[in-house]
Structure formats: C-alpha cells, structure tokens
Amino acid sequence: MELTHSYRKPGQTIVTLAITGASGAALAAEALRALEADARVARVHLVASPSALRVLAEETGISGRIDLAEKLAGHPCPKVLQHAHEDVGAAIASGSYPIDAMIVIPCSMGTLAGIAHGLASNLIERAADVCLKERRKLVLCVRETPLNLIHLRNMTAVAEAGATVFPVVPAFYAKPQSMEEMVRTYVQRVLAHIGLEQSDAYVWGSE
Ligand SMILES: Cc1cc2nc3c(=O)[nH]c(=O)nc-3n(C[C@H](O)[C@H](O)[C@H](O)COP(=O)(O)O)c2cc1C
C-alpha cells in the first residue's frame, strides 16, 4: 500500500479513470493523456472492464490490459496506477482513500445499470458506489443511442444519487474540423467539470 502523501503535493487531485465497453476508445485515450500531462493531478487510478478491452481492440487495435495506459497514451504514464477489474480490494474501493473525482469514459449502459442499482460487483461499480456514498464527484460519460426506458430510468437514479450524467454528445457550435477536435472539446468539458479547466479549451463567447 503506497502512502498518498508520498506523491501528492498540496492542492493536487487524485482521479479514478474507468473505461467500460461502450463505443468511444478515443475519449478514454484523450482523457488519460490530459490527466497524465496535468500538473494539478497527482495520481490517476485506471480500471478497464473486459468489455472495454474488447471495444478498444475493435476501435484502436490495442490488445490486452498489460501496460494499457502506455498503449492508450502512446508514451509512458508514471502517474497512472492500473487495477484489475475484479480487484475489489484496490485502494479506490474504500472510502478512506482520498479520491477527488471519478470519470467513467465511455460508460456503457451495463455499467450505468450496475451503478444505478448499487451492485458493486466489480471495481468500477464499487469505486463509483464509494464516490456516491462519500459525496465525491462522479461523472458518467454514457454512450448509447437510442435510449430505452431502462437506460433513462438508470440515468435518473444516478443523477438523484449525486452523479453527473455527461452523455457523449459533441458540441457542434464549436465547429470542430476533425474527430480529434470533437473528442478533445468533449474531454475538456468533462475535465472542467471536475475542476481541471484546460487553458486551450473552447469557450463560447470568449474574446
Ligand atoms: C464494438 C462494441 C461497441 C459497443 N458499444 C456500446 C455502446 O456504445 N454502449 C453500450 O452501452 N454498450 C456497447 N457495447 C456493449 C457493451 O460492451 C456490453 O453491454 C458489455 O457487457 C458492457 O460491459 P461493461 O459495462 O462491464 O464494460 C458495445 C460492444 C461492442 C463489442
């Protein structure tokens, strides 16, 4: 067990980044790169579900969970600590560990359902459950279309419990010129939501 004060400077943030099996591997990669590069971030706890690995292979060609952060970011990620999906004994599974925020990006309807119903049957669901009980920021970047009534009810349930439902929907008014720009703008909005505003983010009406 590492001591948080050994790597966390005053004011620095500790974030959990969870990747599930919804479409949107590029969003996870962009979020990981941004968190790793951000001097305000001390530690990133990374968890990917088996389905996330399946989708990552499909969308990016990345295979396996060994050194996943490095593969996603394209360079070494010394701030990132990766945990096994089934390891409900990891630090982030306990409310005593000082996480500031958790982002599930992308968030599948399956994981949304698990969180909405408090299943805590894997590390992603458990860490999210802990964020809700400890009143910490939990951002769920849900992706599915169209949405059925079960999806909608589960989104209502998590929102009532304190999570932010942050659907993967691009901002067309920013006039993105590429998919990369669209992905970056979306991820920057997510990071701003947990207090990590990005200096180069698109801001409507700025001079
Ligand atoms: C290529 C691919 C794309 C998928 N896209 C989505 C999606 O956008 N949203 C979603 O809810 N599920 C999607 N799924 C299905 C989930 O991966 C599946 O429901 C899985 O059980 C979710 O498990 P997890 O929440 O533990 O990651 C996709 C599956 C594959 C193989």
Side-chain angles (χ1 to χ4, degrees), residues 19-23 49-52 54-55 58-59 85 107-111 122 143-144:
I19 311 176
T20 70
S23 182
S49 72
S51 304
R54 171 76 175 79
V55 177
E58 203 70 48
E59 294 185 345
H85 186 243
C107 181
S108 73
M109 294 303 107
T111 290
N122 58 59
R143 208 231 70 98
E144 188 51 279

Side-chain angles (χ1 to χ4, degrees), residues 117-206:
H117 294 272
L119 299 188
S121 63
N122 58 59
L123 183 56
I124 295 176
E125 290 175 358
R126 170 63 188 166
D129 201 58
V130 167
C131 282
L132 293 177
K133 84 182 174 74
E134 300 292 335
R135 302 287 190 263
R136 294 174 187 156
K137 285 179 186 152
L138 173 64
V139 183
L140 305 179
C141 301
V142 295
R143 208 231 70 98
E144 188 51 279
T145 195
L147 298 164
N148 66 33
L149 189 56
I150 297 167
H151 302 150
L152 293 167
R153 287 197 169 128
N154 286 338
M155 286 186 211
T156 302
V158 295
E160 285 173 345
T164 299
V165 177
F166 215 116
V168 177
V169 178
F172 294 98
Y173 55 83
K175 300 188 184 68
Q177 299 301 302
S178 63
M179 191 175 92
E180 287 73 24
E181 214 178 306
M182 217 177 232
V183 164
R184 200 175 329 115
T185 303
Y186 173 82
V187 169
Q188 287 176 331
R189 286 290 303 277
V190 173
L191 295 177
H193 197 77
I194 63 164
L196 296 172
E197 284 84 3
Q198 306 292 300
S199 56
D200 58 342
Y202 173 87
V203 178
W204 173 259
S206 65

Side-chain angles (χ1 to χ4, degrees), residues 1-4 7 14-18 32 36 41-48 65 67-70 77-84 87 90-92 97 99 123:
M1 172 75 72
E2 58 178 356
L3 298 171
T4 50
Y7 57 81
I14 301 178
V15 180
T16 294
L17 186 74
L32 188 74
E36 175 64 36
V41 177
R43 169 71 78 226
V44 181
H45 292 271
L46 176 67
V47 197
R65 73 179 183 192
D67 296 329
L68 182 61
E70 223 172 299
C77 295
K79 282 183 199 168
V80 177
L81 204 56
Q82 192 181 336
H83 305 281
D87 185 9
I92 56 171
Y97 184 78
I99 280 287
L123 183 56

